Amino acid sequence: MDKANFDNNPLNTTTKTNDLQLSLLDEMEDLIYISNPETYELLFVNKGFTDAWGYNPIGEKCYKVLQNRNKPCPFCTNHYIFNEEIGKTHVWELKNEVRQRWYRCSDKAIRWHDGSLVRFELASDITKLKETEFLLKDSKEKYQMLFLSMSEGFAYHEAIYDTNKHPIDFIYLDLNPKFEEFTGLKKENVLNKKATECIPGIEKSKSNLIEKFGFIARDGGESTFEFYFEPFKSWYNISVFSPEKNFFGTTIENITEKKKSEQKIKETLEELKISNQELEQFAYVASHDLQEPLRMISSFTSLLKKNYHDTIDEKGKMYIDYATDGAFRMQNLINDLLDFSRISTRGEKSKLCNCNEILDNILANLQQTINETKTVINNKKLPNVYADQIQLGRVFQNLISNAIKFRDEKLPTINISCEEKDNEHVFCVADNGIGIDPKYKEKIFVIFQRLNNRAEYPGTGIGLAICKRIVNRHKGRIWVESEINQGSKFYFTIPKHNNDER
Ligand code: ADP
């Protein structure tokens, strides 16, 4: 309708705004104002308006009052309602920055008392609606982002039942990229299709997914389980839930690699257990069976030395000494090996033992060596711990005798202490001896590994391997901190709690 038509419309010319109409507008909750399109002066505001603005602004410029501007608003709708949309209502939404509220405005040209055309605006406060809309949009966007970027596969389905309400199939309604990646199913191929069409054989699969899913969609609840899915030859961890009757969501994780490595670890552990048992058995049998012939060698060489002492020349005596020494060393080796092999098989159950008493016994055993070498032993008060008393004593004995054996020209000093840390007791046997090159700090705990020559420092190379086995059997750790010529600090831990699961 153009302006001429508007003016010619009897409805518009005769329907001039009168006081009764204006007083009716006062009753409305919405905000209403009438302004002069030439001067922008407010000619009328209703009660809703004065209530919202807190005063009556009649006579003031609409752009000043409504938008706190000094000239007409760039978004003013006058050009619509007085020109191309004359006679029509122009509806639009805006946020009023002065009041920080959202309004839906309905603007229209109407006839004023004096017959002039004026602007009529009715503004409904839609702030609440807008806020909900924003929240919804925001959560929709967040959901979409999560859906697309989540590290689990997600799919939404509708369950299908037979007439007895027994699940027989389901339909894919939506799925995210990870679901595609984990299953190899493509969204465009499966959307709105039945599972039995998309995954041939699903109904026969042992995991019985159709039933499991269908029951949850029918009866509610949720479930998380791991299963091997034959059609995809993969393992999955899946969570199923039903937010709506007959519908269900699934989040899946492909755990095939994890399962494979778990299986591998299990197999390796089993193999290790068997080979460990075999090794223990072998070490035990070998050392046990070697004792007898060795005893024979030792006793006959001693007899030889005793009975033929006068008839054997010096060279012969030297050979006999070598043989006796060899047999003696072999005896030690066999004894240590036997001890080593018995750690797991002949160990006692852990009980609370007093480490001070254990240490006193060991020091008493080593008294002669301690005296001969003038070793100074400083020991702090030690705690009570859950352990196999004999084996713990063995650890102290090996570490202390090494600390004495691997001394340098200084008088040997050994400090024995223990600290509590988190869930364990950390014991330390520190010496001021020859020290160890840090590059060998792991190697020395391996059986038969020795760093020094036998003539200077006798030994079998089994002592620390025994310590390590004992400590490990107690679920503890053992390590050394040392530098060459700087002494050594051997640490080992014993858990505070009795975990006698050995
Ligand atoms: P052994 O004492 O019979 O040689 P161990 O298994 O007890 O065997 O020790 C392995 C090696 O670790 C030793 O040969 C030695 O080289 C080194 N070692 C152990 N304890 C100490 C120590 N307190 N100071 C320096 N070196 C040590």
Side-chain angles (χ1 to χ4, degrees):
M1 192 190 296
D2 59 18
K3 192 162 183 296
N5 283 337
F6 179 81
D7 286 338
N8 293 337
N9 184 336
L11 205 70
N12 289 328
T13 38
T14 53
T15 334
K16 289 181 192 163
T17 321
N18 60 45
D19 287 343
L20 176 69
Q21 284 169 328
L22 291 179
S23 67
L24 281 175
L25 296 180
D26 249 353
E27 300 304 313
M28 294 179 65
E29 240 179 62
D30 295 323
L31 279 60
I32 293 170
Y33 74 85
I34 295 172
S35 64
N36 181 329
E38 311 293 332
T39 63
Y40 296 96
E41 270 172 25
L42 290 169
L43 304 171
F44 169 83
V45 294
N46 74 342
K47 189 170 172 309
F49 194 109
T50 46
D51 284 353
W53 254 255
Y55 75 108
N56 188 333
I58 288 187
E60 292 182 29
K61 304 276 187 200
C62 60
Y63 49 78
K64 183 71 191 164
V65 174
L66 293 162
Q67 299 292 342
N68 197 21
R69 287 171 187 267
N70 294 323
K71 49 183 185 213
C73 306
F75 44 83
C76 181
T77 57
N78 280 356
H79 63 95
Y80 296 118
I81 59 171
F82 293 108
N83 296 300
E84 61 249 47
E85 293 178 18
I86 191 147
K88 291 189 190 144
T89 305
H90 181 85
V91 181
W92 58 302
E93 288 176 0
L94 100 155
K95 183 173 183 191
N96 183 289
E97 298 297 338
V98 176
R99 294 204 67 227
Q100 288 293 311
R101 313 239 4 130
W102 275 92
Y103 293 99
R104 176 167 299 126
C105 308
S106 305
D107 301 346
K108 197 176 178 195
I110 60 162
R111 285 264 168 228
W112 191 231
H113 301 297
D114 57 6
S116 63
L117 276 181
V118 290
R119 170 189 175 84
F120 172 93
E121 180 171 285
L122 179 146
S124 317
D125 192 325
I126 52 164
T127 312
K128 275 251 150 59
L129 199 78
K130 275 283 167 190
E131 276 168 3
T132 325
E133 213 174 79
F134 286 138
L135 277 178
L136 208 70
K137 189 163 169 263
D138 193 39
S139 65
K140 248 189 189 161
E141 274 166 10
K142 278 191 187 135
Y143 166 80
Q144 194 63 13
M145 213 169 72
L146 189 76
F147 184 74
L148 294 176
S149 63
M150 65 197 275
S151 60
E152 286 114 1
F154 177 79
Y156 199 58
H157 329 251
E158 182 179 0
I160 305 179
Y161 302 92
D162 63 13
T163 45
N164 297 322
K165 256 304 184 189
H166 190 86
I168 47 168
D169 212 333
F170 61 83
I171 295 174
Y172 287 96
L173 297 180
D174 202 359
L175 44 109
N176 73 349
K178 272 282 165 191
F179 193 93
E180 294 184 321
E181 184 188 319
F182 288 160
T183 58
L185 297 173
K186 287 275 154 260
K187 191 168 171 170
E188 63 265 27
N189 299 337
V190 300
L191 227 50
N192 298 318
K193 292 219 179 102
K194 288 181 181 169
T196 46
E197 278 174 62
C198 308
I199 314 166
I202 186 174
E203 67 279 18
K204 288 183 218 111
S205 115
K206 273 197 206 118
S207 29
N208 228 342
L209 291 182
I210 292 182
E211 282 201 342
K212 273 188 189 145
F213 294 163
F215 288 142
I216 289 178
R218 190 189 68 188
D219 308 330
E222 53 183 61
S223 171
T224 299
F225 53 94
E226 288 184 356
F227 69 100
Y228 181 72
F229 194 49
E230 187 59 40
F232 296 162
K233 305 250 174 293
S234 297
W235 275 94
Y236 294 98
N237 184 6
I238 187 161
S239 295
V240 197
F241 60 97
S242 173
E244 198 182 343
K245 200 168 176 61
N246 296 347
F247 292 84
F248 64 94
T250 48
T251 50
I252 61 164
E253 225 185 319
N254 189 326
I255 51 166
T256 313
E257 285 312 310
K258 191 179 121 203
K259 278 279 167 188
K260 273 189 195 157
S261 47
E262 266 175 22
Q263 185 58 23
K264 187 100 201 104
I265 291 173
K266 215 169 138 193
E267 281 167 17
T268 317
L269 273 179
E270 199 49 40
E271 280 165 18
L272 210 70
K273 206 171 149 193
I274 293 171
S275 83
N276 238 356
Q277 279 168 352
E278 283 172 359
L279 210 68
E280 267 171 23
Q281 193 67 16
F282 169 77
Y284 181 72
V285 171
S287 41
H288 192 262
D289 292 359
L290 282 175
Q291 303 262 43
E292 185 47 38
L294 190 63
R295 239 174 256 132
M296 261 172 82
I297 299 174
S298 299
S299 51
F300 280 105
T301 42
S302 313
L303 278 177
L304 209 59
K305 203 170 171 183
K306 196 170 145 209
N307 297 343
Y308 297 90
H309 192 261
D310 300 335
T311 48
I312 299 176
D313 66 0
E314 283 312 306
K315 220 174 188 175
K317 279 181 198 154
M318 200 169 76
Y319 291 161
I320 292 174
D321 281 346
Y322 283 156
T324 318
D325 181 51
F328 175 73
R329 278 196 284 122
M330 193 154 175
Q331 184 66 52
N332 282 344
L333 200 67
I334 288 172
N335 286 343
D336 281 355
L337 212 54
L338 255 177
D339 283 350
F340 182 78
S341 70
R342 283 170 177 165
I343 288 165
S344 325
T345 49
R346 305 263 175 112
E348 294 286 320
K349 275 196 172 293
S350 279
K351 46 180 198 258
L352 199 61
C353 25
N354 181 333
C355 291
N356 300 298
E357 279 173 17
I358 297 178
L359 186 63
D360 286 348
N361 283 336
I362 297 304
L363 293 179
N365 291 347
L366 295 171
Q367 199 54 54
Q368 198 181 341
T369 329
I370 292 172
N371 291 344
E372 281 166 10
T373 52
K374 301 197 170 50
T375 300
V376 179
I377 309 257
N378 303 314
N379 60 301
K380 300 251 167 68
K381 190 173 179 317
L382 301 179
N384 293 341
V385 298
Y386 284 101
D388 173 333
Q389 185 158 331
I390 303 211
Q391 291 193 345
L392 190 56
R394 188 70 200 264
V395 174
F396 279 122
Q397 173 151 342
N398 288 0
L399 294 181
I400 296 168
S401 46
N402 275 352
I404 300 174
K405 181 163 66 175
F406 296 103
R407 64 188 179 276
D408 57 14
E409 60 288 346
K410 295 189 289 294
L411 279 187
T413 304
I414 304 174
N415 294 315
I416 302 161
S417 59
C418 181
E419 265 184 49
E420 272 193 49
K421 263 196 194 139
D422 302 329
N423 288 326
E424 51 190 19
H425 299 283
V426 184
F427 290 87
C428 178
V429 177
D431 64 52
N432 60 344
I434 62 172
I436 298 166
D437 186 335
K439 70 178 178 221
Y440 298 123
K441 64 183 181 150
E442 312 279 348
K443 189 177 168 186
I444 53 169
F445 292 99
V446 176
I447 192 163
F448 302 134
Q449 297 294 334
R450 312 192 68 245
L451 307 179
N452 312 94
N453 93 41
R454 181 163 291 115
E456 221 179 329
Y457 300 101
T460 57
I462 303 181
L464 287 182
I466 289 182
C467 292
K468 185 172 165 114
R469 254 195 145 191
I470 294 176
V471 171
N472 286 352
R473 186 176 165 247
H474 286 77
K475 305 250 186 307
R477 297 164 288 125
I478 185 165
W479 70 99
V480 68
E481 285 173 10
S482 182
E483 295 284 341
I484 287 195
N485 299 328
Q486 301 292 312
S488 306
K489 283 182 177 161
F490 279 87
Y491 292 94
F492 68 92
T493 64
I494 299 287
K496 279 189 192 165
H497 301 290
N498 184 9
N499 42 15
D500 214 342
E501 255 285 282
R502 300 186 301 238

